[in-house]
Amino acid sequence: MKIGLFVDVSNLYALTHKMHGGGINYHDYKCFVEEALNGEVTRAIAYGYHDLKGSMHKFIESIKQYGYETKFVEGTIRTPYVRWDVEMIIDIMQYMDHFDCIVIGSNCKYLAPLVKVIRDKGKKCVIYACQVGRELRTIASAVYEVDKNDLITE
């Protein structure tokens, strides 16, 4: 099975730090997706923001080494909410025909219409995030919750 992995790392960062006090190991995250779905991630894209001081550079370079393309916008924690989910939606719509399954790394309930479109096209759509709400749980093919085992232990 060919899997497309689209991850809102800023969403996951905020949630995992709030719930578990740590950040995600994105290598293990990607490996879990492949094992759980018995497939191969053929494209992985990470979305988020990077600060103007460049402190995210090391993180961005590390996830590139794990095979993720990166699409980060410039901003800070004080920047009004950055809507890179729109870019993620466009990418998913553009590339969806290349995959058997789309995995979305976000708990954003506003993605429910996108999940419905993916399912209506006969594709599996899996959500792998924290605190996934009812809107996504009822429409996704499957939902996986990020837990403490997915966190960076260093």
Side-chain angles (χ1 to χ4, degrees):
M1 174 180 348
K2 292 182 181 176
I3 303 167
L5 178 59
F6 301 85
V7 183
D8 179 346
V9 297
S10 295
N11 174 272
L12 293 181
Y13 176 86
L15 292 167
T16 57
H17 273 75
K18 178 182 170 187
M19 289 183 61
H20 305 299
I24 292 178
N25 179 323
Y26 283 96
H27 177 263
D28 292 351
Y29 183 92
K30 185 176 169 186
C31 289
F32 175 85
V33 167
E34 291 180 329
E35 290 173 22
L37 299 174
N38 195 27
E40 177 186 359
V41 173
T42 57
R43 188 165 204 172
I45 305 176
Y47 304 83
Y49 75 87
H50 65 87
D51 61 21
L52 304 175
K53 297 176 185 174
S55 65
M56 292 290 292
H57 180 74
K58 184 177 177 183
F59 169 76
I60 293 169
E61 290 306 310
S62 74
I63 61 174
K64 283 181 180 178
Q65 291 178 5
Y66 301 143
Y68 290 84
E69 297 172 45
T70 57
K71 295 191 176 187
F72 282 69
V73 296
E74 207 171 78
T76 69
I77 197 73
R78 291 187 172 85
T79 302
Y81 188 67
V82 182
R83 298 297 300 224
W84 50 81
D85 54 345
V86 173
E87 186 170 353
M88 184 170 71
I89 291 166
I90 291 168
D91 284 349
I92 291 171
M93 295 296 293
Q94 181 177 355
Y95 302 126
M96 119 169 50
D97 291 336
H98 300 275
F99 309 113
D100 304 305
C101 178
I102 304 292
V103 176
I104 299 174
S106 175
N107 75 346
C108 181
K109 67 182 179 181
Y110 302 114
L111 295 172
L114 172 66
V115 175
K116 183 179 182 331
V117 168
I118 294 166
R119 298 290 312 275
D120 288 348
K121 289 208 169 235
K123 308 285 184 181
K124 288 179 75 171
C125 186
V126 174
I127 306 298
Y128 185 20
C130 292
Q131 297 179 318
V132 178
R134 183 182 49 82
E135 297 89 350
L136 292 174
R137 285 185 180 280
T138 58
I139 196 161
S141 306
V143 173
Y144 297 104
E145 286 280 340
V146 173
D147 64 26
K148 289 183 179 181
N149 296 325
D150 301 312
L151 302 183
I152 295 172
T153 57
E154 298 172 13

